[in-house]
Structures are given as C-alpha cells and as structure tokens.
C-alpha cells in the first residue's frame, strides 16, 4: 500500500510539475517541450519561437540593461519593459524641475527621446551546445598541468583556457558580436552564446511613479496587485543597423521581429508563455547550502532594516532627497522584503526538510550500484565540507558588506580608484585623475551629505553590534570597540575630500595613492583588509564545492533522466509555459486571476505616498473614457496572474498567448511562494503580470502618446 501511494504521489508530482515548472532552454524546445506546450494550447512550432537563421520570436526579446528583460513592439526599435526596470535610468535623467520619475514623461516626437548614458540592450543571435568541444579542449589542457597538485584550481584554469580558445575562434566568424561560453547544470554543460549589444538606447516614456510603482513597497511581492509597471525605450543603431555609441546621426533600430499586441485579454486557464532572462535560481543546491544562504539573508535583512529606516526618514523630509534616493531605496527594499518572504516560506513550506528528504532518496539511488557510487558517492559530503569551510567567513563578510561598505565616502573612494585604474592604462595620470573625479561627481548627484552622515554612524554601530570582535576594523587610529562613531563620522566628513562635490574637485591631478592620509581612504582600506582576509577561506573552499556540485547535478540528471530537465537560471534566455491561473493563498480564500481599475480606486489613499491616484486617472475612470481597452464587463483590466516559472531578471518579460502575441508583461512573484527560486510550488507559485490593455490605456488616454500605437501591430481577436 505504501509503495502504491508513493508511486501515485510521484506521478502526481511529475505531472503537475511538468505542466508549469521549468525555465527551459530555447534550443531544446523541440526535443523537450513543444509537445506538452501544444497539449496546453500553444499554436506555435519550436522554430517560430527560436531559430538561428531567419526571424523568430526570440529576436524580439532582449536583455535590458543586463538585469531585466524587454521586448520590441515595433519594427522601429520601440521596446517595452517594466517601470521598475527603467527606474534607475528615469531617476538618473530626472531633476527636481524635470521630474520624470514623479510626473511621468512622453516623447511626442523622436527628437524628444532622451539618450540614457550607460544603458544597453542585448540581442541574442544564437546559442549552441559546446559541451563536446569544451570537454575535449579541457582534457587536452589538463594534460599540460600534470605537475600541479590542486586539482580544483587546475580544472578551473583548464576550463578557462579552453573557453578562451573557443571564444576567440567563434568571435572571428561573428564580427560585431560578443561571444561567451556559458556554463549550465553546474559545469556539466556549456553553450556558446553569441549576442549583439546596442549602446544607444533612448527613453521614450513612462507613467508617473504613482501608477508605475502604485502600491510601492507595501504591495511589492504581493497579489492582488494594481501596478502599471511599464516604461518604454527605443534602440538606435548606425546606418547599417549595427550597434554604435550614441550619436545624433544614429537611426531607430530596424527590428527583425516585433511582437504583435493582442487586446482581447486572457481568461483563467488560457495558455501563456514567458520568454526572458531569469537571473539566478538555486534549484540544484543542497540543504546545507540553503541553510547557509538563509543565514546570509538574515544578516542582510537586519542591516537593511537599520539603513532603510534612516533613508526613509530622509526621503520623507524632502522631495529632492526622495528623488535622489528613490532607486537606491527601491532596490534595497526589494531584496530586503524578498529575503524575509523567503525565510517565512522556507519555514512554512518545509523547504529544508524536503531538500534533505530528496538528498536521502538520491543517496539511496546512488547506493544501488558501484558505478553510481564511484561517480556521485562523494558529491554531497564534498559540498557539505566546502560549505562548512566558508560559513563563518561568509557570515562575517555579509555583515561587513551590508554595513561598512554602504558608507557613502567609502563608495566614492572605490569609484575613484576603479575609474582611475580603468583610465590609467591608456591615458596619462592627469587624464585618469580627471576621469576618476568625473565618475565620483556623477555618483554624487544622488548624495545628501547630512543623510549619509546618519547612515555612516548607523552602519558603523551595526557592524560593532553584529560582527565578531575578531573582525572589527583596524587602522582607524582608535579602538573600534569603544570609539565614538558620531564624533568619528563628523570628523571624517569634515576632513575627507570624498564628501562633497567641491572637495572632490580638489582631487584633480591626484592618484589614489596620493590620498592615503584621507580619512575616507583609511576607512576604505580598513574595510578592504578585512574583506580580503575573509575572502581567503571562501576562495579556498570553492573548488571542492564546484566539484561536488558538478557531480551532484550530474547525478540528479541521471536519476531523473526520463523527465525533461532545465538548468538553474543564469541570465540566459529561457522560456516558461503554463496558464493563466487563480489560486488559494490560504484556507477559505480564493484569489481571482485578474484585477481591474476599480481596485486602484479602492486602494487610493491620498495621505499615503504609495497609494496616490492622479486626478486625471480618476476623471477617466469616473467618465468611463476607456477607448478600446475595456474588457467585456466594461472595466479596465490592470493585472493578471499565471503559473509561469519566473524569477528576478524576468522582470519586463513578454507574456505571450497561444499565438505568440503580447498580452502582458511579467513583473513580480507572489508572497505565498517566495521560496520559488529553490523549489517550484505548483499550487501557490504565480507570476504577476500587467495587462497590456492597461499599459496601452495609460499610454494613449492618460499619457496622450497615442501616436506610438501607430508603430505597433495590434490585433483584437
Ligand atoms: N519585486 C519585483 C522584482 O523583483 C520588483 C518590484 C519593484 N518595485 C518595488 N516596489 N520595489 O522583480
């Protein structure tokens, strides 16, 4: 009986897991997924989605700024991504007088589109399996290192050498492209990834933060949601449609593929798929690794609670400070809330015990035959030993990184040093110094001295209260255990050159080495000394963990070889398919699969910055000026949820219907499944999306930028 139950449970698990779990690799869709996708309603072929020669959907999906996803919605390079992905750029372009973050912005002509220095958009040209080539090159390289005694380091060296050779060869055949060798499945599989990186990207428009970030930190990571989380940019190219640095002579990029937009909306259980660039997951980590990770999250949460409280007080006291700190605060708080949710979900869903159970079953399977024993038998204990070797150092390092390294002048010192050494290789030292000063001045745009003094005191205090006395800072001229941080910080800010734009300018002509008496430099050096000391045991354990993880992952793949499999997210393009789906967050409660503008009005609270509703939107709502964007019930749909398997980095990803048309943008995950980076939860895990009809309603009726719709291909059925 027990056995039958176990088989039934395993079957149920694999069936429900197959329906929605998975961040699939595009070149393997044909082999692994297309049949299941079609069974769910997909009307596309694998080559409609991904092909190397000729255009396919993948040509419309881009890596936006390295950390998000965007998609082309016109042949003229217009792209849409999340508001929170454009946030840093929009903030950077804003001033208290032209506050695009607060007030929103729409370019009414191409000339009004604003270049964003430093922003890139990356197109995927191709990805091809390089595992055999890498293995061969690696085996050859490893022969040359026979006399070395550290097999882990040696393996790494050989791997890098093999990768370099392969990369150089492919790069020759693909001029104008970047070539990377990327590892999957913990070094068991390698792919050559060829991309094109466009560097002239211009801001086209966004709603005001009251809509783009409606619900603020309170609603972040939560459903039901009403955030209009989108912004638009345009990719520019040279006359030959190739990447080029910004130039007024550049022209809009001519897209190989632009997504069609479908305005007919989604119903519960409709097929959806999401393509994008998920950043990191930990689905192949062991319970020991996960425990260590939770410990690190705990430290980060504790430090950020302190720092964010100080930031928030400053932001609430002055709109100029709010603008300066908006992006920093949002990204700090996003991680802070995520990790707390993850800690809660770990407990509630029993993640660690479930992982231990899986490892026990794996070990039993390995034990069944001698060949498996030889290949995988040591893996778990290697990882365990490696984690043990790193654990204290990581806890110490996190304590340092989340406190002392966040002190502004310490950051300026490191920017100065970095910019100097980057420039120094080509230029003379005066030029390098100019560049370094420039870089610090740019960073100081978002710097408020009185607020940073408070943060500095709070962070030093945090480090004293939370670090082990063995790793207290040395070389500050006083005993860290007893020094008066307020007096120290006052003096540092008064005497250091790294504390105001005026004083930074006095660094012109200086090299980082000329500033060794500067108190901020001294603090940065005291921190760096501890940092490198703590990195040593971490580095030492890495090869052992890498070897164990490689074997463990290979073992898991062999154990489950009859099921389709996908590797951990690693910022390469993936596809996840599933359905629009409501869920039950707790006993007695069912969450619908969508929200509407009515909910925005219900949540409105003029006294709360996070829940303000612009008068213009209320007017449109009261007078039902909804144009072509209302649903069958006469409401404006705002957000919906699917069971697609996404994570950070997928933000901005296109949510596509069965025909591959754009119906929404993925922008968040939900509170009940915050452990999703580690384990997929079929019943609870949802992908939160903004409905494309809400997006276009805001562009058109609210923003008055309806002209942009002329570039798009819009279908209504
Ligand atoms: N939770 C979202 C993600 O990680 C980011 C949302 C940003 N919004 C915010 N209120 N901080 O993709």
């Amino acid at each position: 009986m027990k056995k039958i139950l176990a088989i039934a449970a395993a079957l149920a698990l694999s069936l429900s897991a197959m329906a929605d779990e998975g961040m699939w690799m595009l070149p393997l869709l044909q082999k692994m997924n297309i049949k299941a996708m079609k069974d769910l309603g997909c009307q596309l072929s694998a080559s409609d989605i991904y092909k190397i020669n000729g255009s396919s959907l993948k040509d419309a999906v881009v890596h936006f700024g390295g950390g998000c996803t965007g998609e082309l919605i016109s042949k003229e390079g217009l792209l849409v991504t999340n508001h929170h992905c454009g946030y840093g750029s929009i903030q950077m372009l804003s001033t208290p007088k032209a506050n695009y973050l607060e007030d929103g912005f729409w370019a009414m002509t191409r000339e009004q589109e604003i270049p964003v220095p430093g922003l890139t958009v990356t197109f995927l040209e191709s990805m091809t399996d390089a595992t055999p080539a890498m293995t061969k090159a690696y085996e050859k390289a490893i022969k040359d290192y026979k006399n070395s005694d550290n097999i882990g380091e040696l393996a790494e060296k050989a791997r890098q050498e093999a990768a370099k050779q392969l990369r150089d060869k492919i790069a020759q055949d693909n001029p104008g492209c970047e070539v990377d060798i990327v590892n999957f499945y913990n070094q068991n599989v390698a792919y050559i990834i060829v991309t094109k990186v466009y560097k002239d990207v211009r801001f086209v428009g966004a709603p005001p933060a009251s809509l783009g970030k409606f619900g603020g930190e309170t609603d972040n990571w939560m459903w039901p949601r009403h955030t209009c989380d989108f912004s638009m940019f345009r990719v520019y190219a040279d006359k030959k449609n190739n990447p080029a640095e910004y130039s007024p002579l550049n022209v809009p990029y001519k897209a190989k593929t632009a997504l069609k937009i479908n305005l007919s909306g989604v119903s519960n259980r409709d097929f959806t798929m999401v393509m994008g660039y998920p950043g990191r997951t930990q689905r192949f980590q062991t319970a020991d690794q996960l425990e260590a990770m939770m410990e690190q999250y705990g430290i980060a949460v504790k430090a950020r609670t302190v720092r964010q409280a100080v930031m928030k007080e400053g932001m609430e006291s002055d709109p100029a400070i709010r603008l300066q700190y908006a992006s920093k605060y949002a990204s700090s708080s996003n991680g802070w809330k995520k990790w707390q949710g993850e800690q809660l979900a770990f407990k509630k869903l029993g993640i660690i015990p479930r992982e231990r159970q899986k490892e026990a079953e794996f070990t039993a399977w390995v034990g069944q035959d001698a060949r498996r024993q030889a290949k995988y038998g040591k893996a778990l204990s290697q990882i365990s030993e490696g984690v043990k070797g790193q654990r204290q150092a990581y806890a110490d390092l996190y304590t340092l990184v989340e406190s002392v390294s966040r002190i502004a002048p310490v950051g300026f010192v490191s920017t100065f040093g970095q910019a100097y050494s980057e420039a120094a290789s080509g230029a003379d030292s005066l030029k390098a110094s100019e560049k370094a000063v420039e870089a610090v001045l740019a960073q100081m745009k978002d710097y408020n001295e009185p607020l940073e003094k408070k943060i500095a005191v709070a962070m030093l205090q945090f480090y004293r209260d939370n670090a082990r006395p063995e790793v207290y800072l040395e070389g500050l001229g006083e005993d860290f255990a007893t020094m008066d941080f307020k007096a120290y910080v006052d003096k540092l800010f008064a005497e250091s050159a790294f504390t105001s734009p005026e004083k930074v300018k006095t660094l012109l002509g200086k090299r980082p080495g000329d500033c060794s008496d500067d108190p901020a430099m001294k603090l940065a050096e005291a921190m760096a000394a501890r940092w490198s000391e703590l990195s040593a045991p971490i580095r030492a354990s890495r090869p052992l963990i890498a070897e164990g993880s490689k074997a463990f992952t290979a073992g898991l793949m062999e154990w489950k070889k009859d099921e389709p499999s996908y590797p951990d997210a690693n910022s390469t393009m993936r596809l996840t398919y599933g359905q629009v789906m409501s869920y039950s967050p707790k006993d007695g409660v069912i969450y619908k699969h969508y929200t509407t503008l009515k909910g925005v009005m219900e949540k409105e609270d003029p006294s709360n910055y996070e829940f303000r509703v612009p008068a213009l939107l209320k007017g449109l709502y009261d007078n039902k000026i909804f144009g072509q964007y209302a649903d069958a019930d006469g409401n404006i749909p705002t957000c919906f949820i699917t069971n697609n398997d996404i994570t950070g980095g997928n933000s901005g990803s296109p949510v596509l219907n069965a025909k591959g048309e754009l119906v929404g943008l993925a922008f968040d995950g939900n509170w009940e499944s915050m452990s999703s980076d580690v384990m997929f939860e079929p019943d609870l895990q949802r992908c939160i999306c903004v409905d494309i009809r809400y997006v276009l309603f805001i562009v058109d009726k609210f923003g008055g930028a309806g002209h942009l719709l002329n570039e798009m291909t819009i279908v209504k059925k």
Side-chain angles (χ1 to χ4, degrees):
M1 183 63 185
K2 217 170 164 189
K3 195 158 180 198
I4 295 178
L5 273 183
I7 293 172
L11 256 180
L13 242 175
S14 70
L15 279 184
S16 55
M18 279 180 59
D20 32 38
E21 172 174 356
M23 300 176 182
W24 306 103
M25 290 173 69
L26 300 183
L28 302 179
L29 291 179
Q30 178 63 36
K31 191 169 130 205
M32 289 199 181
N33 313 108
I34 198 70
K35 177 159 185 328
M37 288 169 70
K38 288 196 168 155
D39 289 347
L40 265 190
C42 181
Q43 296 174 27
L44 303 167
S45 68
S47 65
D48 291 335
I49 297 168
Y50 175 85
K51 76 166 154 276
I52 297 184
N53 300 310
S55 65
S56 57
L57 284 180
K58 76 117 170 67
D59 298 316
V61 183
V62 298
H63 208 181
F64 180 84
C68 275
T69 304
E71 54 273 12
L72 294 193
I73 49 171
S74 100
K75 287 273 188 182
E76 294 161 79
L78 183 65
L79 77 76
V80 61
T81 181
N82 285 151
H83 186 265
H84 78 260
C85 294
Y87 205 71
S89 302
I90 303 170
Q91 186 250 334
M92 185 178 83
L93 298 175
S94 295
T95 62
K97 276 210 190 90
N99 195 336
Y100 309 134
L101 198 62
E102 195 61 25
D103 306 330
F105 169 79
W106 287 102
M108 292 301 165
T109 62
R110 296 274 161 93
E111 289 67 41
Q112 288 176 7
E113 297 176 356
I114 310 173
V116 189
L119 181 61
T120 59
V121 159
T122 303
F123 288 82
L124 172 65
E125 296 289 310
S126 65
M127 48 192 299
T128 34
D129 193 352
T131 315
M134 276 293 285
T135 314
K136 218 170 109 197
Y138 163 73
E139 274 163 6
K140 189 187 163 303
I142 212 161
K143 275 195 201 122
D144 306 337
Y145 288 100
K146 253 189 211 128
N147 296 326
S148 169
D149 50 10
N150 186 337
I151 182 80
E153 255 171 43
L154 187 146
E156 190 45 40
K157 236 188 195 163
R159 208 172 276 129
Q160 281 174 11
E161 200 157 296
K164 189 180 172 314
Q165 284 173 13
L166 198 56
R167 211 166 36 226
D168 291 350
K169 188 165 151 273
I170 307 286
Q172 273 178 5
D173 302 338
N174 292 275
C177 294
E178 318 241 318
V179 180
D180 283 303
I181 313 284
V182 181
N183 285 299
F184 294 79
Y185 291 107
N186 286 321
Q187 312 270 12
N188 284 289
V189 170
Y191 268 74
I192 303 170
I193 300 193
V194 181
T195 57
K196 265 192 183 164
V197 183
Y198 283 78
K199 293 178 179 151
D200 184 352
V201 182
R202 305 187 194 172
F203 178 43
V204 173
S210 55
L211 301 181
K213 201 177 154 71
F214 183 75
E217 305 311 324
T218 306
D219 272 7
N220 189 20
W221 299 113
M222 303 275 192
W223 180 259
R225 194 65 161 276
H226 299 83
T227 311
C228 198
D229 202 341
F230 84 98
S231 57
M232 289 185 181
F233 293 79
R234 193 185 302 278
V235 184
Y236 280 75
D238 69 14
K239 297 253 156 54
K240 292 187 177 140
N241 214 31
N242 283 321
E245 296 294 333
Y246 166 79
S247 155
L249 301 177
N250 287 346
V251 293
Y253 169 76
K254 284 185 270 321
K256 274 198 242 175
T257 306
L259 298 178
K260 289 182 182 154
I261 294 173
N262 192 307
L263 291 186
S264 58
V266 292
S267 305
N268 207 23
R269 301 274 165 174
D270 276 357
F271 174 87
T272 53
M273 59 183 204
V274 173
M275 294 170 74
Y277 280 89
R280 291 275 168 273
T281 53
Q282 297 86 29
R283 297 206 176 143
F284 288 90
Q285 293 217 351
T286 65
D288 287 343
Q289 289 176 296
L290 297 174
E291 267 174 1
M293 185 175 92
M294 284 299 119
E295 184 174 287
Q296 291 151 18
Y297 286 175
I299 294 165
V301 164
K302 207 166 162 194
R304 289 184 184 202
T305 304
V306 175
R307 189 167 67 109
Q308 285 171 199
V310 183
M311 278 165 96
K312 193 161 187 193
E313 200 188 307
M315 288 166 76
E316 279 170 359
S317 74
D318 179 349
I321 300 181
R322 185 190 287 287
L323 176 61
Q324 283 182 315
Y325 285 77
S327 190
K328 274 183 268 193
Y329 187 86
S331 69
S332 176
S333 154
N334 190 48
W336 172 80
K337 193 167 177 184
K338 175 180 175 170
W339 298 326
Q340 290 176 78
E342 208 161 335
Q343 287 173 319
L344 284 175
F346 259 61
K347 282 209 194 86
K348 204 160 168 203
L349 302 172
I351 300 292
I352 301 275
R354 279 159 70 192
E355 181 58 37
R356 292 222 184 273
Q357 173 66 25
K358 181 177 108 191
E359 286 165 27
E361 287 163 21
F362 173 74
T363 303
W365 172 83
V366 170
Q368 283 167 6
D369 87 42
R371 188 194 54 86
R372 289 180 200 159
Q373 192 64 44
K375 271 176 104 170
Y376 314 125
K378 280 189 306 190
L380 287 169
S381 60
Q382 282 178 321
I383 298 173
S384 191
E385 193 187 321
V387 169
K388 222 179 269 154
Q390 292 183 332
R391 200 151 171 176
Q392 185 61 56
Y394 256 131
D396 291 340
L397 189 61
Y398 262 76
T399 311
L400 186 69
V401 167
E402 287 286 343
S403 60
V404 181
S405 91
R406 308 289 169 150
I407 294 173
V410 171
F412 296 144
V413 167
S414 107
T415 300
F416 187 77
Q418 235 168 22
Y420 185 91
S421 59
E422 266 166 37
S425 58
D428 58 63
S429 71
L430 184 62
K431 265 264 150 46
S433 169
E434 255 170 38
K435 286 262 182 245
V437 167
E438 240 170 60
V440 178
L441 288 176
Q443 208 179 342
M444 280 187 165
K445 171 174 180 284
D446 300 322
Y447 163 77
N448 177 275
E449 189 176 331
L451 179 55
E452 291 298 345
K453 284 170 91 169
K454 286 188 197 150
I455 293 177
V457 174
M459 292 295 94
L460 289 166
Q461 189 63 47
F462 179 88
Y463 193 67
R464 180 155 69 199
D465 293 345
N466 291 278
R468 296 179 305 130
E470 294 91 308
V471 293
Y472 278 0
L473 301 184
E474 283 167 354
L476 300 182
E478 286 174 80
D479 181 2
F480 195 81
T482 53
M483 66 197 275
D484 175 345
F485 289 134
K486 168 94 179 50
Y488 167 77
V489 166
D490 280 342
K491 193 155 178 283
L492 183 149
F493 275 74
E495 291 176 4
S496 168
F498 293 91
T499 51
S500 76
E502 295 69 41
K503 289 199 280 176
V504 167
K505 287 179 195 147
T506 67
L507 292 171
L508 259 181
K510 293 205 174 144
R511 296 164 302 176
D514 300 332
C515 310
S516 52
D517 285 338
D518 188 288
M521 182 64 84
K522 285 204 168 120
L523 178 57
E525 277 170 358
M527 182 190 75
R530 283 295 180 218
W531 193 312
S532 81
E533 179 187 312
L534 294 170
S535 303
I538 293 176
R539 225 176 306 121
S541 289
R542 247 179 224 152
L544 192 62
I545 295 180
E547 206 183 310
S549 300
K550 183 174 179 193
F552 179 48
T553 305
L556 287 174
M557 283 160 73
E558 187 185 327
W559 185 30
K560 303 277 177 197
K561 67 175 179 311
D562 298 330
E563 295 167 21
S565 85
Y566 60 93
D568 262 323
N570 60 354
S571 295
T572 55
M573 204 197 288
R574 305 292 179 90
L575 176 146
T576 146
Y577 63 90
Q579 289 165 290
V580 176
M581 209 175 273
S582 53
Y583 74 107
S584 169
K586 56 183 171 196
D587 187 41
V589 179
I590 292 178
Y591 280 157
K592 276 210 272 195
H593 67 278
Y594 72 101
T595 57
T596 68
L597 201 48
K598 180 162 171 265
V600 175
M601 304 306 152
E602 284 172 2
K603 281 182 179 173
E604 185 195 9
D605 177 359
S607 70
N608 183 343
Y609 181 81
E610 296 184 326
F611 292 95
R612 297 160 304 147
V613 179
L616 176 57
L617 185 64
K618 281 196 274 189
L620 294 171
Y621 178 75
D622 290 339
N623 298 304
K624 290 196 178 302
I625 304 176
F626 293 161
Q628 58 181 336
Y629 309 106
D631 65 14
D633 300 328
N635 298 320
I636 289 291
T638 43
C639 298
F640 63 91
I641 45 176
T642 69
N643 64 358
N644 292 115
D645 188 4
I646 65 158
T647 187
N650 267 119
S651 286
S653 291
V655 185
L656 305 163
N657 66 12
K659 292 186 190 140
E661 297 158 344
L662 188 68
V663 291
L665 271 65
F667 73 93
D668 212 353
N670 62 323
W671 192 247
E672 295 80 10
S673 71
M674 295 293 284
S675 47
S676 63
D677 284 350
V678 174
M679 270 188 212
F680 186 86
E681 302 291 340
D683 294 338
L684 287 178
Q685 186 167 330
R686 295 295 178 263
C687 160
I688 304 180
C689 317
V690 56
D691 194 301
I692 199 66
R693 291 170 296 179
Y694 190 28
V695 170
L696 293 190
F697 167 71
I698 292 298
V699 171
D700 183 2
K701 301 294 174 197
F702 182 88
H707 63 278
L708 290 171
L709 273 71
N710 299 335
E711 307 180 32
M712 306 174 195
T713 305
I714 294 180
V715 278
K716 293 198 184 124
K717 196 52 239 152

